[in-house]
Amino acid sequence: MLKVYDDDWFMQQAIAQAELAAAAGEIPVGAIVVSNERIIARGHNQTEQLNDVTAHAEIIALTAAANYLGDKYLHDCTLYVTLEPCVMCAGALAWAQVSRVVYGANDDKRGFMRFGRELLHPKTKLEFGVLHESCGALMSRFFEGKRR
Amino acid sequence: MLKVYDDDWFMQQAIAQAELAAAAGEIPVGAIVVSNERIIARGHNQTEQLNDVTAHAEIIALTAAANYLGDKYLHDCTLYVTLEPCVMCAGALAWAQVSRVVYGANDDKRGFMRFGRELLHPKTKLEFGVLHESCGALMSRFFEGKRR
């Protein structure tokens, strides 16, 4: 069977969320949650707008997904995010027991992988590097703009 | 000068928050944020009531403190929490750059110290073991009740 929606397609939707963040002057990170090939939640970084360090794209998306499902555990869900999650978000994804996490660009300075994938739930599958050039370019453009 | 409010006194206020969680059938964890010897925010675990894995006492307290201060950075603030924070909460406390974190009981299974105190911001001072028996007893009572 032809797969209409693949990881690249879903990551593109996460990038669209990141672009909303960029347009609002926020560090451009976007996330979506997918269940049964359907997007059930979206989020983009809103830490400045909400004056809240916890308002990361992943936190917003997973809270929205839990609301949608009526279940705080996101079994059978994939979270796509444009940037490697931070320690806080990895911890939240672990509590939510998300089935699969897919991220785009690396975040060597703030990403959770400095501490290893055991920050996630043992059952969570992990993939990264999906559309990493587009995801990374979002960040580079944002920080270049800041330096001008 | 006589110190009226000390770490024990503030931890007692965090325990009062944990008791609110217990009364609601939640895992009993409570937190407060103190600035200039004044309690500026309180939180207790509400993950069940809010159906949200991110609704930990610390996250609620630090978001409330940021709202109160109009600043997402909690410089010159101490967060008191009855239980060793998890990885998610340690990550959130790092982003908020909380000046000082004081916790009561250890959480060997879920606590952030498995990964080391570098999960917190480098400027954050850390203390633990304050009223640890009372803090731990809250948890023991809760889980004993569950097993009945």
Side-chain angles (χ1 to χ4, degrees):
Chain A
M1 202 180 89
L2 182 70
K3 208 164 173 174
V4 181
Y5 302 122
D6 59 7
D7 281 347
D8 282 14
W9 191 86
F10 284 123
M11 188 59 83
Q12 202 62 58
Q13 310 312 305
I15 289 174
Q17 288 298 306
E19 281 163 353
L20 293 178
E26 300 271 2
I27 294 177
V29 183
I32 60 165
V33 177
V34 173
S35 175
N36 292 320
E37 303 226 325
R38 275 182 56 201
I39 300 175
I40 62 166
R42 294 173 171 84
H44 62 271
N45 178 34
Q46 294 189 282
T47 48
E48 297 301 324
Q49 284 161 285
L50 300 180
N51 195 35
D52 181 352
V53 296
T54 72
H56 282 195
E58 300 93 316
I59 302 280
I60 291 166
L62 72 79
T63 302
N67 279 338
Y68 176 84
L69 294 171
D71 185 352
K72 65 184 190 297
Y73 298 115
L74 304 184
H75 301 144
D76 305 313
C77 288
T78 300
L79 179 128
Y80 293 85
V81 56
T82 55
L83 186 69
E84 180 184 336
C86 72
V87 166
M88 171 182 75
C89 290
L93 294 166
W95 284 118
Q97 303 185 15
V98 180
S99 309
R100 191 163 165 258
V101 171
V102 181
Y103 68 80
N106 289 346
D107 183 354
D108 296 337
K109 208 173 153 191
R110 301 286 204 168
F112 78 99
M113 289 288 269
R114 289 169 298 153
F115 299 99
R117 56 187 291 166
E118 54 268 44
L119 260 61
L120 297 177
H121 191 274
K123 285 188 183 161
T124 299
K125 289 178 194 152
L126 177 65
E127 234 149 310
F128 47 89
V130 173
L131 300 191
H132 68 99
E133 283 184 13
S134 307
C135 290
L138 274 167
M139 296 291 282
S140 313
R141 270 201 305 275
F142 180 80
F143 287 107
E144 272 161 25
K146 285 271 172 199
R147 275 197 296 272
R148 251 175 234 147
Chain B
M1 201 179 91
L2 181 70
K3 205 163 175 173
V4 181
Y5 301 122
D6 60 7
D7 281 347
D8 282 14
W9 191 86
F10 284 122
M11 188 59 83
Q12 202 60 58
Q13 311 312 306
I15 290 174
Q17 287 299 306
E19 281 162 354
L20 294 179
E26 300 273 0
I27 296 178
V29 183
I32 61 165
V33 176
V34 172
S35 174
N36 292 322
E37 303 225 326
R38 277 183 55 202
I39 299 175
I40 61 165
R42 294 172 171 84
H44 62 270
N45 177 34
Q46 293 189 281
T47 48
E48 297 302 324
Q49 285 161 284
L50 299 180
N51 195 37
D52 181 352
V53 295
T54 71
H56 282 195
E58 299 94 314
I59 302 280
I60 291 167
L62 73 80
T63 300
N67 278 337
Y68 175 84
L69 293 172
D71 186 350
K72 65 184 190 297
Y73 298 116
L74 304 184
H75 302 142
D76 304 315
C77 288
T78 299
L79 179 129
Y80 292 85
V81 57
T82 55
L83 186 70
E84 180 183 337
C86 72
V87 166
M88 172 182 74
C89 289
L93 294 168
W95 283 119
Q97 303 185 16
V98 179
S99 308
R100 189 162 166 257
V101 171
V102 181
Y103 68 80
N106 289 347
D107 184 355
D108 295 338
K109 209 172 152 193
R110 302 288 203 165
F112 78 99
M113 289 289 269
R114 291 170 297 154
F115 298 99
R117 57 184 292 167
E118 53 270 43
L119 260 60
L120 298 176
H121 192 274
K123 286 188 183 161
T124 299
K125 288 178 195 154
L126 177 65
E127 236 150 307
F128 47 88
V130 173
L131 299 190
H132 68 99
E133 284 184 13
S134 308
C135 291
L138 273 166
M139 295 291 283
S140 313
R141 271 201 305 274
F142 180 80
F143 287 107
E144 272 161 24
K146 285 271 171 198
R147 273 197 297 271
R148 251 176 234 147

